[in-house]
Amino acid sequence: MDEAILSKIILLSVERDALANLIFEQTFQKKTAGKFRELSKNQPIVIKIMGIEGELCPPLLESIQEWIRAV
């Protein structure tokens, strides 16, 4: 496969993943907005991570916080 085509495929894949995450985030916020009004700003994010990962240990939480700060 040509390198230019491969690079376009990778770029499109990354864009697709970013859009899928954005749509998931918006849907999650809409579904949880009414249920979790008393939660702090970051608690719904932690609940989402626990649902995705199945658990939440300190190293995982630390790496996610570092990633969020970098963005």
Side-chain angles (χ1 to χ4, degrees):
M1 196 178 286
D2 186 14
E3 190 172 322
I5 292 173
L6 187 59
S7 128
K8 282 184 180 182
I9 290 172
I10 292 170
L11 179 63
L12 289 173
S13 176
V14 169
E15 288 179 9
R16 181 190 54 86
D17 290 346
L19 288 173
N21 288 337
L22 179 64
I23 291 169
F24 175 79
E25 179 74 27
Q26 290 173 351
T27 303
F28 180 81
Q29 291 296 336
K30 285 179 187 176
K31 288 186 176 186
T32 59
K35 295 179 183 177
F36 301 118
R37 289 177 194 234
E38 66 277 357
L39 296 179
S40 73
K41 176 183 166 188
N42 293 326
Q43 285 174 325
I45 295 170
V46 172
I47 292 169
K48 181 174 72 172
I49 293 167
M50 289 174 69
I52 293 170
E53 294 293 325
E55 65 178 351
L56 189 62
C57 57
L60 176 63
L61 185 57
E62 184 178 327
S63 66
I64 291 170
Q65 287 174 336
E66 289 174 6
W67 179 79
I68 289 172
R69 281 188 218 124
V71 174

